[in-house]
Amino acid sequence: YRLLCTNITGNVQGTGSGALINRQGQLIGIIHPSVLGEGSSNRIGGYAISDIKGIIEHLSNESAIPYTGIYGMDVTEKLIKKENMPQGVYVKEVAVDSPAMAAGIQSGDVIVGIDGEDIGNLYNYHSILMEKSEGSEINLKGCRQGTGGEYVDIDFKVTVGSKNKD
């Protein structure tokens, strides 16, 4: 999710949270202590509300939050040029016992599409995933670096899980 970083200092260590409001009184973010992390001089940061709106709607409606277990980042233009990576979502980590792990997705893979639809970044990936329901099967198109350094196409069938299971 996109992060909002501020120059506001405060104490949100541990479980601190709150809201980020702009000068027009609009809610623009949710404060979370993990956003800026260690060494941030107690600066307050949060997640952009536009990115987490889907999760909030799911929680408000008491419905399952679609989950695959992929933790990633956008493949930047610099990585595309320097490392010859395809555009998409670079998989930094795969959660243990997650649907992504069961499907064979690994750290270092690049996810470039869901159900035939190209994704260019993590925001698009999450937007499409939020439209899926728990238990549905999705086809992820990915790329994995081969032994020669080139990226080869690889397809995954992932059964969508739920992030908020009882």
Side-chain angles (χ1 to χ4, degrees):
Y1 301 108
R2 287 179 285 185
L3 304 178
L4 298 175
C5 301
T6 72
N7 60 359
I8 303 166
T9 57
N11 186 6
V12 291
Q13 302 297 324
T15 60
S17 64
L20 290 173
I21 310 291
N22 67 13
R23 291 182 181 178
Q24 289 77 38
Q26 299 166 318
L27 176 66
I28 60 168
I30 302 294
I31 296 170
H32 195 276
S34 68
V35 169
L36 297 181
E38 298 289 324
S40 63
S41 303
N42 288 332
R43 297 225 189 302
I44 293 175
Y47 297 106
I49 197 73
S50 57
D51 289 357
I52 61 174
K53 192 165 75 172
I55 291 175
I56 294 169
E57 288 174 6
H58 278 80
L59 290 171
S60 297
N61 296 326
E62 297 182 8
S63 48
I65 297 173
Y67 168 75
T68 58
I70 292 173
Y71 300 100
M73 62 182 240
D74 292 345
V75 175
T76 64
E77 288 295 324
K78 186 176 181 180
L79 288 172
I80 292 170
K81 290 177 185 172
K82 184 178 178 186
E83 303 293 329
N84 204 26
M85 275 187 188
Q87 184 175 5
V89 175
Y90 177 80
V91 179
K92 292 190 328 186
E93 183 181 344
V94 176
V96 177
D97 296 329
S98 68
M101 181 176 270
I105 297 172
Q106 302 174 4
S107 296
D109 289 344
V110 178
I111 305 300
V112 296
I114 298 178
D115 289 338
E117 192 172 340
D118 289 342
I119 58 166
N121 55 47
L122 194 55
Y123 180 77
N124 290 343
Y125 171 80
H126 280 290
S127 295
I128 295 169
L129 183 61
M130 284 296 116
E131 296 172 3
K132 306 301 180 183
S133 58
E134 180 183 12
S136 64
E137 188 173 85
I138 58 174
N139 295 304
L140 295 182
K141 182 177 180 181
C143 296
R144 182 173 287 164
Q145 195 168 24
T147 54
E150 75 289 345
Y151 281 85
V152 294
D153 292 342
I154 187 166
D155 294 319
F156 304 99
K157 289 194 181 298
V158 179
T159 302
V160 177
S162 172
K163 186 72 172 175
N164 56 329
K165 287 185 178 177
D166 291 311

